[in-house]
Amino acid sequence: MTRPMDGTAMSQAKQTKMTVEEFFDWQQRQDRNYELVDGVPVLTVKAMTGASRRHDRVTVNALATLHAALRGKPCSATTDDQSVLTDRGTRRPDITVDCGRADDRSMSTADPRVVVEVLSPSTVRYDRFQKLEEYKRHPAIKVILLVDSEAPQVTVWRRVDGEWTYAEQIGLDAVIALPEIDAELPLSELYADLTFDTPSG
């Protein structure tokens, strides 16, 4: 599902596919965030539907925790205003840990090491399958965190010796070790100030 673009931009996009460079130039003139998928600008799911307060709280908690853990270190956490280049175009993870040195005016990460997607009922299938596979094909990404917004549970995908493995971290006592960026992410901080309908872990 995509939201139509405005005016001539939509007509041009239908006729010719954009390069990444053309897309970023076009994106700067838009008032909402898009991703480039197979040459076609697509409005992000969050831009179409908005984000629930739970999704926003988990995202802010993750960003704050990673920002504090990475202070003074080579890597830094970025929001979904920064794109990750993929083999299909661009994606906008909720959070990316970038360990490269991109130009301050760049619209994409230079060396994305960890990506975080906070799952919502409306996006869980899309994030768990389509976007996940694109991230796994990215040569720089080492860890992919799929964070459940409805329960204290995170699926951790990790590249080990060229192969992807996954594990579930469940419960507020769990801590996700991230040696790839010299940090860790406690679930108690990730889910701070949230309550759950049923106990987990």
Side-chain angles (χ1 to χ4, degrees), residues 131-139 141 144 157 159 164:
K131 292 175 74 173
L132 173 63
E133 293 306 313
E134 289 181 51
Y135 295 148
K136 287 164 68 175
R137 293 192 296 268
H138 195 295
I141 294 174
I144 305 163
W157 283 91
R159 195 195 306 263
W164 284 96

Side-chain angles (χ1 to χ4, degrees), residues 42-101:
V42 177
L43 193 62
T44 64
V45 174
K46 188 186 297 184
M48 284 190 285
T49 64
S52 70
R53 187 171 180 83
R54 291 186 70 89
H55 184 287
D56 187 66
R57 172 55 58 189
V58 174
T59 303
V60 169
N61 286 347
L63 184 63
T65 302
L66 288 169
H67 176 73
L70 296 171
R71 188 183 298 276
K73 298 177 182 178
C75 303
S76 60
T78 70
T79 69
D80 62 358
D81 281 335
Q82 285 283 288
S83 295
V84 170
L85 303 183
T86 75
D87 57 1
R88 296 188 66 189
T90 70
R91 291 297 184 184
R92 293 181 180 272
D94 288 307
I95 299 169
T96 304
V97 176
D98 187 9
C99 297
R101 290 187 173 275

Side-chain angles (χ1 to χ4, degrees), residues 72 131 185 187 198:
K131 292 175 74 173
L185 185 59
L187 268 65
T198 57

Side-chain angles (χ1 to χ4, degrees), residues 3-201:
R3 184 185 181 92
M5 293 177 286
D6 296 330
T8 57
M10 183 64 177
S11 299
Q12 291 171 354
K14 284 182 176 179
Q15 294 172 5
T16 59
K17 292 186 176 182
M18 291 184 181
T19 66
V20 170
E21 292 75 17
E22 290 169 340
F23 167 73
F24 283 141
D25 179 65
W26 174 85
Q27 172 68 87
Q28 292 184 75
R29 300 190 298 275
Q30 311 309 309
D31 59 3
R32 280 183 282 191
N33 282 340
Y34 288 78
E35 295 173 324
L36 184 69
V37 182
D38 299 330
V40 179
V42 177
L43 193 62
T44 64
V45 174
K46 188 186 297 184
M48 284 190 285
T49 64
S52 70
R53 187 171 180 83
R54 291 186 70 89
H55 184 287
D56 187 66
R57 172 55 58 189
V58 174
T59 303
V60 169
N61 286 347
L63 184 63
T65 302
L66 288 169
H67 176 73
L70 296 171
R71 188 183 298 276
K73 298 177 182 178
C75 303
S76 60
T78 70
T79 69
D80 62 358
D81 281 335
Q82 285 283 288
S83 295
V84 170
L85 303 183
T86 75
D87 57 1
R88 296 188 66 189
T90 70
R91 291 297 184 184
R92 293 181 180 272
D94 288 307
I95 299 169
T96 304
V97 176
D98 187 9
C99 297
R101 290 187 173 275
D103 183 274
D104 284 345
R105 299 184 186 280
S106 175
M107 299 180 70
S108 64
T109 55
D111 183 11
R113 204 71 55 86
V114 176
V115 296
V116 180
E117 289 285 4
V118 179
L119 307 178
S120 296
S122 62
T123 65
V124 59
R125 185 174 180 82
Y126 185 69
D127 289 339
R128 277 193 180 276
F129 295 99
Q130 185 169 334
K131 292 175 74 173
L132 173 63
E133 293 306 313
E134 289 181 51
Y135 295 148
K136 287 164 68 175
R137 293 192 296 268
H138 195 295
I141 294 174
K142 306 299 182 187
V143 180
I144 305 163
L145 303 180
L146 302 180
V147 181
D148 195 327
S149 62
E150 301 299 318
Q153 178 171 330
V154 180
T155 302
V156 182
W157 283 91
R158 174 170 273 116
R159 195 195 306 263
V160 179
D161 297 328
E163 299 293 330
W164 284 96
T165 64
Y166 79 93
E168 301 287 346
Q169 295 285 349
I170 302 173
L172 296 176
D173 292 333
V175 177
I176 302 170
L178 296 169
E180 295 85 355
I181 55 171
D182 189 24
E184 62 181 25
L185 185 59
L187 268 65
S188 59
E189 295 186 21
L190 185 60
Y191 293 100
D193 302 321
L194 288 173
T195 57
F196 303 94
D197 293 334
T198 57
S200 181

